[in-house]
Amino acid sequence: MFYHKKKALLALAVYALLSCGIPFATIASPFPVSQSQINIEALPSPSPEPVYVIELPLPPVAPSDDVDACTKRINPRGTGCIGKTAELRNGNFLPDNKHIVATVTFAGAPAAPDPASIYTGEQLIVIKTDGRTFANGDPWKCITCGIPEANRNGTTSLLEYPQAFKDGRRVLAGNNIVDCGAVLSSPACRPEKARIYPTYWPTTADGSGPGGTIRENRIHPDNMHMGFSSFTTTGGVMGQYAYFGRLVFNPSPTSGTPRVPRYELQNVTRLYDPSALQPFSVYGDELRINNEAISVGELRGFSGSGDELTYVGSNWESSNIDLFAADLTTGHVRRITQHPGYADPIDISADDKWSVILDTRSTNRTMFMAGLRHIPPLTDLVSSTAAASIRNNGQRRFFQPWLLDRAGDRGAYFGQQLNAAGDGSPGSVNDPQWNSQADPRWSWDRTKIAFYQTLTAPPQCGGVNPLPCPVSTADGGRTYRIMLATLTSRIPIKPRTVKTVSDLVPWGVPYVPGQTTPTRWYPPAGMYKVYGKVSGHAAVTLVENSAGNGLEAVAVRYEDYSDHVGVVIHGSENVTAVSDSLTLERVAWYSNLTSSGDQTGSKVTSDGGFHLLIDMMDTEFVANGTLTTTIDGEIYAQPENYT
């Protein structure tokens, strides 16, 4: 964790609590509290809660992927093994709060006709979370192993984002819906009765073709609708829009492929309106920043009541990637996170009072770029992709789970790390080599949270990388694990019934299959002024790229600029970003900023500037030159280059 010198006493107190083995930790604010935020920051912060974290049981591990590697000695019950480094995903809880769904990759099964041959490849399982076992003695049960081919027509990968419906019988897994015909954890749920149906989004005017490519699927709490995202490519530039639609089962489709029983997305809304208020607007020579604008980049889910959707959107502060929520009906936007760490996955409790997020805030990884607070997001017009991509080191993420109340980050409150207790030793719940992945999940009664982690592995360690590879202490040496955090002082609640929401999202645009995807609006090239909410201004120059489809460079000079009482920004920044391909970006960054007042700091590049080459998919950090942020004497340097 990082703490500024002004917070040293508080940091020592927190460290003392952790050293005594108390199973919780909070992170104090290393940033100034501005008077303009007092309406939010005056809200009292919740006291830290006791948290008990355990690792959930998984199938045993096969020593290799070879046929027959999963022997009876490894699994006497013949119910399969998973691969040592094979990916998995935790899902959400079943309605009884005693089981979660998950997807795993089975390996080493014997060849057919051995009954155990069905335990191979990506499969959906259910795991008991209460320490008990199923009738056969396993604490887990495979739902899709052995489903007849005739019952899985059109099935694609099951791995991503498993989410059980509230009926306890169906699970969204990847772009499929698994229907067991009975509660998944019950003996009546058997492979021969189960079905797997594809989901289908019609995107052509005549309904033909394989449908649209969808990702980041999230079930709405009414269990009738689904939110999702989809990539776009326009003029050699990659983009993404989010959508909201109704899931309707069609037993006999007459168009599109695959032409099998499927769930179709109907009455779809694109959650972007090019004619609505945008994050920036131009009034003569003035450029205005509109924080009330709805700017859904990647959809992350919904509130427990279903009234809001959560998303990663346009930054409110420079290089600071945050989570937001927008009301599905009114479009009211609220900011959930403020910390300069990168936040992405989120789940909101059924009563809407709590969020669990995955964030890099327990490390310094993004502080060199985002740590200086209250800088308006002007260079972000070209640098937001780079700011979002520095969060990982290739396949290694730096996420850990954090608990926030509904009001989110504010003042001295930046949440509670759920897995902070422990000695940091190999395999412990806070072992820094085990990093969380996507989608933590609340139990319906608001007392438990499931999340999964992966261990640092080659090429992020070993070889030419100077980081030694850790030795896994998990069963069979596997490098994935699923964790369960129990908030032991909480009294279980009964979630209220969620009514079916309207298909219409008033601030979105009804999607018409076959229509041309719009391009996101951006301010035209030119010279502008941005006036601080408290004082001063910024002189801004925007330069368009040679293709004429976006901005390429932003130069800013701040003069006594202040958006917050007590924090004044001076100096200049100049950022140019050029796309070498759809996902690879080359960034040249020159910065000489200072902050005075309650926050004393700087953001400075080396003499030749900071030059970053990064792929938004591979997220491998490769830079020449330096970008360094200093706050109250604390220095935050960039990560080492990926090697």
Side-chain angles (χ1 to χ4, degrees):
M1 294 184 187
F2 58 90
Y3 298 91
H4 294 269
K5 293 178 181 178
K6 292 180 180 178
K7 301 295 182 181
L9 292 177
L10 179 56
L12 288 173
V14 173
Y15 178 77
L17 288 175
L18 293 178
S19 299
C20 293
I22 296 177
F24 56 76
T26 56
I27 187 168
S29 168
F31 312 111
V33 177
S34 60
Q35 294 299 313
S36 64
Q37 293 176 302
I38 197 67
N39 56 332
I40 296 174
E41 292 170 347
L43 295 174
S45 352
S47 299
E49 298 185 48
V51 185
Y52 180 62
V53 183
I54 62 170
E55 183 178 342
L56 289 178
L58 288 167
V61 176
S64 74
D65 295 344
D66 296 341
V67 175
D68 283 327
C70 181
T71 64
K72 284 294 183 72
R73 181 183 61 81
I74 298 173
N75 187 344
R77 283 182 282 273
T79 50
C81 299
I82 58 176
K84 183 179 294 188
T85 60
E87 290 189 78
L88 56 78
R89 304 283 189 272
N90 76 268
N92 65 344
F93 287 76
L94 295 185
D96 64 5
N97 298 300
K98 296 178 181 179
H99 302 81
I100 66 165
V101 294
T103 45
V104 300
T105 305
F106 283 91
D114 190 302
S117 64
I118 62 174
Y119 296 99
T120 188
E122 293 174 359
Q123 304 287 354
L124 174 71
I125 67 172
V126 170
I127 305 171
K128 286 187 176 289
T129 62
D130 59 1
R132 300 185 179 184
T133 62
F134 289 96
N136 69 348
D138 285 332
W140 54 273
K141 169 186 176 181
C142 187
I143 302 300
T144 53
C145 297
I147 293 181
E149 286 300 317
N151 293 357
R152 52 166 71 227
N153 285 343
T155 301
T156 54
S157 172
L158 296 169
L159 186 65
E160 300 291 351
Y161 313 115
Q163 300 159 68
F165 289 78
K166 290 179 181 176
D167 58 17
R169 303 157 61 101
R170 295 174 298 154
V171 178
L172 176 68
N175 293 332
N176 313 274
I177 291 179
V178 180
D179 189 338
C180 207
V183 174
L184 295 159
S185 57
S186 72
C189 172
R190 300 195 300 271
E192 62 270 19
K193 290 189 173 183
R195 301 288 189 276
I196 304 179
Y197 304 107
T199 56
Y200 182 80
W201 174 31
T203 54
T204 57
D206 61 0
S208 62
T213 301
I214 59 180
R215 63 187 302 270
E216 300 293 341
N217 309 347
R218 301 295 187 278
I219 301 171
H220 186 272
D222 70 0
N223 276 220
M224 298 295 294
H225 291 86
M226 188 177 85
F228 61 98
S229 297
S230 183
F231 283 138
T232 64
T233 55
T234 304
V237 177
M238 177 171 280
Q240 183 173 216
Y241 289 107
Y243 299 84
F244 181 79
R246 177 182 285 265
L247 283 167
V248 177
F249 183 67
N250 184 349
S252 304
T254 57
S255 62
T257 56
R259 204 164 296 180
V260 297
R262 65 195 187 199
Y263 280 86
E264 297 178 351
L265 284 157
Q266 299 181 3
N267 300 334
V268 172
T269 298
R270 185 184 66 240
L271 301 176
Y272 171 71
D273 183 354
S275 66
L277 182 70
Q278 301 298 310
F280 292 86
S281 55
V282 173
Y283 295 86
D285 68 347
E286 181 184 354
L287 184 65
R288 295 182 185 175
I289 302 168
N290 305 311
N291 287 340
E292 65 273 27
I294 307 171
S295 177
V296 182
E298 185 167 278
L299 185 141
R300 302 310 303 161
F302 300 94
S303 61
S305 63
D307 294 342
E308 294 178 311
L309 64 87
T310 57
Y311 62 95
V312 179
S314 293
N315 296 349
W316 285 17
E317 296 179 72
S318 184
S319 301
N320 191 353
I321 311 297
D322 284 316
L323 286 161
F324 301 88
D327 190 284
L328 273 174
T329 302
T330 68
H332 172 71
V333 174
R334 66 184 180 95
R335 185 183 184 186
I336 298 172
T337 61
Q338 295 184 28
H339 193 282
Y342 176 95
D344 186 338
I346 182 173
D347 194 33
I348 296 179
S349 61
D351 63 356
D352 286 344
K353 293 182 178 180
W354 297 90
S355 295
V356 57
I357 65 170
L358 297 181
D359 195 292
T360 65
R361 63 183 61 187
S362 56
T363 74
N364 296 337
R365 185 161 183 91
T366 60
M367 288 293 291
F368 80 100
M369 188 178 285
L372 202 65
R373 294 290 303 274
H374 311 313
I375 301 172
L378 297 170
T379 60
D380 298 63
L381 284 164
V382 298
S383 64
S384 60
T385 297
S389 301
I390 62 174
R391 69 192 187 276
N392 296 344
N393 178 22
Q395 291 302 309
R396 186 186 182 194
R397 301 188 180 188
F398 295 86
F399 284 150
Q400 295 299 346
W402 290 81
L403 180 69
L404 294 172
D405 70 1
R406 177 177 169 80
D409 291 337
R410 61 192 182 275
Y413 174 68
F414 280 87
Q416 175 181 348
Q417 186 177 342
L418 289 173
N419 63 334
D423 58 9
S425 61
S428 62
V429 298
N430 65 339
D431 178 355
Q433 298 297 341
W434 283 94
N435 290 271
S436 297
Q437 301 295 293
D439 282 21
R441 291 292 182 179
W442 282 98
S443 61
W444 299 103
D445 64 3
R446 207 191 64 175
T447 66
K448 303 179 186 71
I449 296 165
F451 59 97
Y452 75 98
Q453 298 181 309
T454 184
L455 185 66
T456 305
Q460 281 69 52
C461 63
V464 295
N465 193 320
L467 176 68
C469 287
V471 177
S472 175
T473 61
D475 176 54
R478 59 177 154 78
T479 58
Y480 284 84
R481 67 184 187 182
I482 298 177
M483 310 300 285
L484 180 72
T486 300
L487 302 169
T488 57
S489 64
R490 293 198 174 193
I491 298 173
I493 64 166
K494 184 177 180 180
R496 60 179 178 270
T497 301
V498 176
K499 295 181 179 179
T500 302
V501 299
S502 171
D503 293 348
L504 177 66
V505 180
W507 47 266
V509 175
Y511 174 77
V512 178
Q515 70 179 180
T516 302
T517 302
T519 56
R520 289 189 186 268
W521 183 89
Y522 59 91
M527 301 176 68
Y528 303 95
K529 282 189 176 180
V530 176
Y531 293 96
K533 295 181 177 122
V534 177
S535 68
H537 72 276
V540 184
T541 300
L542 306 181
V543 179
E544 193 165 38
N545 62 27
S546 58
N549 60 5
L551 296 175
E552 179 177 282
V554 177
V556 189
R557 176 168 290 279
Y558 296 95
E559 296 185 15
D560 295 322
Y561 185 95
S562 177
D563 276 339
H564 298 272
V565 172
V567 178
V568 182
I569 305 297
H570 306 264
S572 63
E573 273 195 303
N574 189 326
V575 180
T576 300
V578 177
S579 296
D580 285 2
S581 69
L582 275 177
T583 60
L584 183 64
E585 192 164 81
R586 192 178 302 273
V587 180
W589 198 308
Y590 301 87
S591 182
N592 186 11
L593 295 179
T594 61
S595 175
S596 59
D598 296 337
Q599 173 187 254
T600 301
S602 64
K603 183 179 180 182
V604 181
T605 52
S606 53
D607 290 343
F610 169 73
H611 301 270
L612 177 68
L613 180 67
I614 195 160
D615 190 295
M616 64 183 293
M617 294 302 186
D618 293 335
T619 62
E620 297 173 356
F621 188 93
V622 179
N624 291 315
T626 61
L627 174 60
T628 306
T629 290
T630 303
I631 305 173
D632 295 338
E634 193 79 17
I635 298 173
Y636 297 102
Q638 67 209 46
E640 292 185 9
N641 279 353
Y642 182 92
T643 54

